[in-house]
Amino acid sequence: MSTNSDAGARRPVLALVGATGAVGTVMIDIMNARPSVPWGEVRLIASPRSAGRKITVRGAELTVVALSAEAFDGVDIAMFDVPDEVSAEWAPVAAARGAVAVDNSGAFRMDPEVPLVVPEVNADQISARPKGIIANPNCTTLSMMAALGALHREFELRELVVASYQAASGGGQAAIDRLYGELEALAGKEVGVRAGDVAEALEAAGLPLSESPFPAPLAFNVVPWAGSLKDEGWTSEELKVRNESRKILGIPDLKVSATCVRVPVVTTHSLAVHATFAREVTVEQAHKIFAGQPTIVLVDDPTAKKFPTPVDVVGEDPTYVGRVRQALDFPNTLDFFVCGDNLRKGAALNTYEIAEELVDRL
Amino acid sequence: MSTNSDAGARRPVLALVGATGAVGTVMIDIMNARPSVPWGEVRLIASPRSAGRKITVRGAELTVVALSAEAFDGVDIAMFDVPDEVSAEWAPVAAARGAVAVDNSGAFRMDPEVPLVVPEVNADQISARPKGIIANPNCTTLSMMAALGALHREFELRELVVASYQAASGGGQAAIDRLYGELEALAGKEVGVRAGDVAEALEAAGLPLSESPFPAPLAFNVVPWAGSLKDEGWTSEELKVRNESRKILGIPDLKVSATCVRVPVVTTHSLAVHATFAREVTVEQAHKIFAGQPTIVLVDDPTAKKFPTPVDVVGEDPTYVGRVRQALDFPNTLDFFVCGDNLRKGAALNTYEIAEELVDRL
C-alpha cells in the first residue's frame, strides 16, 4: 500500500468502470473505508442505462457517466469490474487514452504481457505493464494466495492439491437470489429423504433448474461444478486455480490439481489446501509466518475448536487461515483451510490495492 | 451377497441391536427391501426404555426386547447400530454367546483381531474373526471405498488426498434438527452481509451455538471440523479416513491426507478425491472399471454438466462417481468426486451386506 506522499504532485485521477454492479458497490465501500490515497478525482463509469445515477463517494455526490472512450480522458488509473467481453473491448481503450487499466475480469489474466498481481505476493510486477493493463486474479485463486505466497517465500512451493467450497455470490446477484429462493421454497419441507425430491420440490415451486445459474439445486446440496467445461473434463474455474497460481507465484511448473465445488453459502470462498514444499515446514513455522502477515488472520486453536468458517469472514479484508496440520504421510507438506470474502479480497479489495500500489509508479 | 440356498439348512437367526435408532430404522427399511436372505428369526433389541415397542419387519409385527446377555441366546448374527461405548460392552457379550457381532460403531475398527469389511472390496476377510466381531467402517471412508477398491485392484493405490463435504445427518437426528432450526431462524433474513451476523441471528432466535452439535453455525456456512481433536491438530474423522482406508484396502503404508468439512446438506456425504496409483490410469479405463461395478453408478458427462450431487443420491444404495479427470501435473493420478448416502452404504447397508455375506460362512 502506498500513499501519495509528495504533497506537491498532481493527485491522480481514478476511474471505476462498472460502478453500479455488485463488485463496484463493494469497491465504493472500500474507497470510503480506506482514505489513504487522496485521489484528484474519482470518476464513476457504467453502462449508458446507469448513467446519471448519483452515488456518494468519500462524502461527495458523484454522477455516473456512460462508458465511452472520452470518459477515460485525464484518467490515471481505471479499475474495471465488468464482464470479460466488456473488459476485452474497453481496457485497451482506457490504456490507449493514457490510463493504467486494472482489470478484474478474466479477459487478460493469462496474457504474458499483462501482470497478474496480488500486492502482498508480487507487487514488484506492477511496473512492467507493456499493454498498460494489470489483471486481478480469479476470486478462488485469490483466497489462498496471501497464505501460499508467504509460505512460498520461505519454503518454495512445489505441489498443490485444492478442493474449494465456493459461495453463491461468486455467480453474482442472480446466484444469491437463487439460493435464497430455493431455501424459501423448501422451508418446512423434509428434504433429502429420497433422491430427486429437492429438484421436484423446486420445480413445483416454480423454480425449475433450467432457470438456475447453477447446473443442480444448491439448497441442501453441493455442486461440483464452477465455470465452463474446458479440456479433459476440467472446468474453467479449476484451470484458473492452476494457471493463475503458477503465474502469480512465478512457478511455471507448479503441480496443481483443483476440484471446484459450489456450496450453499452466500459469501466467502473456502479452500482445503494440501501444499508440498521443497523444504520441511512445521505447523509452528507456518503459524509464525501467517501471524506476521498483515493481510492474514490466523484462527487456529483446535483445542478450543477455533478455526475460520465463511460466516466469520464476510465483509472482512484479510484472508483467514486455520486447521494448519503437518501431513502425516507426505514429506514437506502442510494441510490447511482458508476463508476469504470473494467480493472483497477476492475482487474489489485486491483491485483497489493494486490501484493504491500504482500511485507511486505511474 | 449370498443366499441361503440349501433349503434343508437351519435358517440363521439375526439380531439388530439399536433397532429404534436412526440407523436401525434405515436397517429395517433395507431388510424389507432386500428379501434375499430368509432369516430363521429376526430379533429387535434396544435399550430397556424402547423395549415392548412393536415394529413390522417383512410383514411380521415384532416386539423390541431389552438389551441383555440372554437376548443373544440362539442368535447367529448380531448387528450393532449403537454408540461406541455400548458396542464396546455388548459386542463381546454377543460373541461369547455364539453370535458373530457386526458392529457399526468405532469401538473395534482398528483392532487387529477384528476385520474391517466393505464386501465388494475385502469380503474375503470375513472368515477370520478371532473375536467373533466384524467392524463396519466409518461413513466418510465408506463413501469412497467401492471406487478406490475397484481402481486399486487394477492400478495399485499409493497416495490419497481427500476433502469431504459431509452431511448433517452424520451427527444424528439432533444434527439434522439443528440444521433445519438454523435455516428456519434465518429465513427471510439477508445473511452473510457482515461477519458474525449468522451467529448473532441464531443467538437472537434462541439457538445459541453452545447448544449445537456443531462447533459453528452450519446454515449458510461450512464447518471444517468433524469428530474430536486427536494429535497434531488432526480430527478423529480425518484419522479414520486415513487408518480405515489403509486397513480396508490392505495398504499399510498408503499415504493419506484428509480434510473433513461439514456442509449444510441433510444426507449424503461427498468427497473430492485425488488418488495416485503405481501405474498410469486414464479416464477411459476408470470409467470402464466404475461402470462394471454393481455398487457404483457412474454419472460423468461434463459436456451435459452431468455429475453426482448429494440430493441425487439420498436413499440410494450405490456410490455415485463423476468428475473423473486425469491430473494434469501429477503422474498416475485421477481426481474425482463421489457421493454416498451416509445412512445407507455409509452405515446400515454395509452392515447388512456383511451379515448377508456371513450366512454362508457361519
Side-chain angles (χ1 to χ4, degrees):
Chain A
M1 188 183 338
S2 310
T3 55
N4 194 359
S5 53
D6 180 353
R10 188 181 70 82
R11 290 180 171 181
V13 172
L14 179 73
L16 170 55
V17 186
T20 58
V23 175
T25 303
V26 174
M27 181 68 85
I28 290 167
D29 290 345
I30 289 169
M31 291 172 64
N32 288 332
R34 290 170 75 104
S36 52
V37 174
W39 302 107
E41 178 197 337
V42 173
R43 198 173 298 172
L44 304 183
I45 302 176
S47 65
R49 147 177 72 85
S50 295
R53 271 180 60 181
K54 311 273 188 203
I55 297 177
T56 300
V57 181
R58 295 183 172 180
E61 189 180 71
L62 306 181
T63 302
V64 176
V65 301
L67 179 58
S68 72
E70 294 69 33
F72 296 104
D73 286 341
V75 170
D76 295 292
I77 301 169
M79 305 185 297
F80 282 76
D81 285 311
V82 293
D84 289 10
E85 62 278 13
V86 180
S87 282
E89 180 178 352
W90 290 96
V93 173
R97 297 256 164 173
V100 180
V102 185
D103 180 34
N104 187 33
S105 85
F108 298 99
R109 287 178 189 146
M110 294 314 296
D111 185 326
E113 293 187 289
V114 172
L116 182 66
V117 173
V118 180
E120 60 267 56
V121 179
N122 62 345
D124 55 302
Q125 294 182 23
I126 282 176
S127 303
R129 43 181 197 253
K131 288 193 169 169
I133 301 171
I134 297 170
N136 190 62
N138 168 269
C139 51
T140 308
T141 311
L142 253 177
S143 301
M144 62 179 178
M145 274 303 114
L148 286 175
L151 293 172
H152 175 53
R153 281 193 292 274
E154 296 287 331
F155 304 105
E156 207 182 316
L157 183 64
R158 290 281 172 84
E159 301 180 7
L160 211 47
V161 181
V162 174
S164 75
Y165 302 74
Q166 296 183 225
S169 60
Q173 191 59 46
I176 299 174
D177 294 344
R178 175 76 194 189
L179 174 58
Y180 281 124
E182 288 189 0
L183 285 167
E184 196 181 331
L186 297 169
K189 292 202 170 63
E190 276 280 321
V191 298
V193 172
R194 146 185 97 74
D197 63 358
V198 167
E200 266 173 44
L202 294 177
E203 186 85 31
L207 290 170
L209 268 183
S210 55
E211 292 173 11
S212 175
F214 304 110
L218 188 59
F220 297 105
N221 209 17
V222 303
V223 182
W225 189 272
S228 56
L229 176 62
K230 298 292 178 185
D231 289 347
E232 313 281 338
W234 294 90
T235 62
S236 56
E237 190 83 352
E238 289 158 352
L239 295 186
K240 283 176 187 173
V241 169
R242 174 176 180 253
N243 297 331
E244 296 184 19
S245 294
R246 289 174 158 195
K247 183 169 177 177
I248 295 162
L249 296 166
I251 317 171
D253 59 351
L254 180 66
K255 295 182 176 185
V256 184
S257 267
T259 297
C260 289
V261 180
R262 197 74 70 173
V263 295
V265 164
V266 178
T267 297
T268 294
H269 289 351
S270 305
L271 298 168
V273 180
H274 174 85
T276 302
F277 299 88
R279 291 180 285 285
E280 198 192 358
V281 44
T282 66
V283 171
E284 293 64 31
Q285 288 171 313
H287 274 182
K288 202 174 159 194
I289 286 171
F290 291 146
Q293 299 298 310
T295 63
I296 289 178
V297 174
L298 178 67
V299 182
D300 196 10
D301 182 358
T303 314
K305 292 191 186 170
K306 294 289 181 200
F307 39 75
T309 76
V311 298
D312 303 320
V313 176
V314 180
E316 298 286 304
D317 288 347
T319 302
Y320 282 59
V321 183
R323 297 295 329 277
V324 185
R325 292 149 291 157
Q326 199 164 16
L328 297 168
D329 305 317
F330 297 86
N332 308 341
T333 300
L334 290 179
D335 290 271
F336 57 93
F337 194 75
V338 296
C339 297
D341 183 326
N342 52 302
L343 301 180
R344 291 184 76 92
K345 184 63 181 177
L349 176 63
N350 197 71
T351 304
Y352 189 67
E353 287 172 339
I354 295 172
E356 287 181 330
E357 285 287 338
L358 272 168
V359 167
D360 287 336
R361 310 186 209 195
L362 285 169
Chain B
M1 190 181 342
S2 311
T3 55
N4 194 357
S5 53
D6 181 354
R10 189 181 68 84
R11 288 181 172 181
V13 173
L14 179 73
L16 170 56
V17 187
T20 58
V23 175
T25 303
V26 174
M27 182 67 85
I28 290 168
D29 290 345
I30 290 170
M31 291 171 65
N32 288 332
R34 288 170 75 105
S36 51
V37 174
W39 303 106
E41 178 196 338
V42 172
R43 199 174 298 172
L44 303 183
I45 302 176
S47 65
R49 148 177 69 85
S50 295
R53 271 181 60 180
K54 312 270 189 205
I55 298 177
T56 300
V57 180
R58 293 184 174 179
E61 190 180 71
L62 306 181
T63 303
V64 176
V65 301
L67 181 57
S68 72
E70 295 70 32
F72 296 104
D73 286 342
V75 170
D76 296 290
I77 300 169
M79 304 186 296
F80 282 76
D81 285 310
V82 293
D84 289 11
E85 63 278 14
V86 180
S87 283
E89 180 179 351
W90 289 96
V93 173
R97 296 258 162 171
V100 180
V102 184
D103 181 33
N104 186 34
S105 85
F108 299 98
R109 287 179 190 145
M110 295 313 297
D111 184 326
E113 294 189 289
V114 172
L116 182 65
V117 174
V118 181
E120 60 268 55
V121 178
N122 62 344
D124 55 303
Q125 294 182 22
I126 283 177
S127 303
R129 41 179 199 255
K131 288 194 169 168
I133 301 173
I134 297 170
N136 189 62
N138 167 269
C139 53
T140 308
T141 311
L142 253 176
S143 301
M144 62 180 177
M145 273 304 114
L148 286 175
L151 292 172
H152 175 54
R153 281 194 291 275
E154 295 286 332
F155 304 105
E156 208 182 316
L157 184 64
R158 291 279 172 85
E159 302 179 4
L160 213 46
V161 181
V162 174
S164 75
Y165 302 73
Q166 295 184 223
S169 60
Q173 190 60 44
I176 298 175
D177 293 344
R178 174 77 194 188
L179 174 57
Y180 281 124
E182 288 189 359
L183 284 168
E184 196 180 332
L186 298 168
K189 291 201 171 63
E190 275 281 322
V191 298
V193 172
R194 141 188 101 73
D197 63 358
V198 166
E200 267 173 43
L202 294 178
E203 187 84 30
L207 290 171
L209 268 183
S210 56
E211 293 175 11
S212 175
F214 305 109
L218 188 59
F220 297 105
N221 209 17
V222 303
V223 181
W225 191 272
S228 56
L229 177 62
K230 297 293 176 183
D231 289 347
E232 312 281 336
W234 293 92
T235 63
S236 56
E237 189 84 353
E238 289 158 352
L239 295 186
K240 283 176 187 173
V241 169
R242 174 175 179 253
N243 298 332
E244 296 185 18
S245 295
R246 289 173 160 197
K247 182 168 177 177
I248 296 162
L249 295 167
I251 316 171
D253 60 351
L254 180 65
K255 296 182 177 184
V256 184
S257 267
T259 297
C260 289
V261 180
R262 198 75 70 175
V263 294
V265 164
V266 179
T267 298
T268 294
H269 289 351
S270 305
L271 298 168
V273 180
H274 175 85
T276 301
F277 299 87
R279 290 179 286 285
E280 197 193 358
V281 44
T282 66
V283 171
E284 292 65 30
Q285 288 171 313
H287 274 182
K288 202 173 159 194
I289 285 170
F290 292 145
Q293 299 298 311
T295 63
I296 290 177
V297 173
L298 178 67
V299 181
D300 196 8
D301 181 358
T303 314
K305 292 191 186 171
K306 294 289 181 200
F307 40 74
T309 77
V311 298
D312 304 320
V313 175
V314 181
E316 298 285 305
D317 288 346
T319 302
Y320 282 59
V321 184
R323 296 295 329 274
V324 184
R325 292 149 291 156
Q326 199 164 16
L328 296 168
D329 304 318
F330 297 86
N332 308 342
T333 301
L334 290 179
D335 290 271
F336 57 92
F337 194 76
V338 296
C339 296
D341 183 327
N342 51 303
L343 300 180
R344 291 184 74 94
K345 183 63 178 177
L349 177 63
N350 197 71
T351 304
Y352 190 67
E353 287 172 338
I354 295 172
E356 288 181 328
E357 285 287 339
L358 273 168
V359 168
D360 287 337
R361 311 187 209 193
L362 284 170

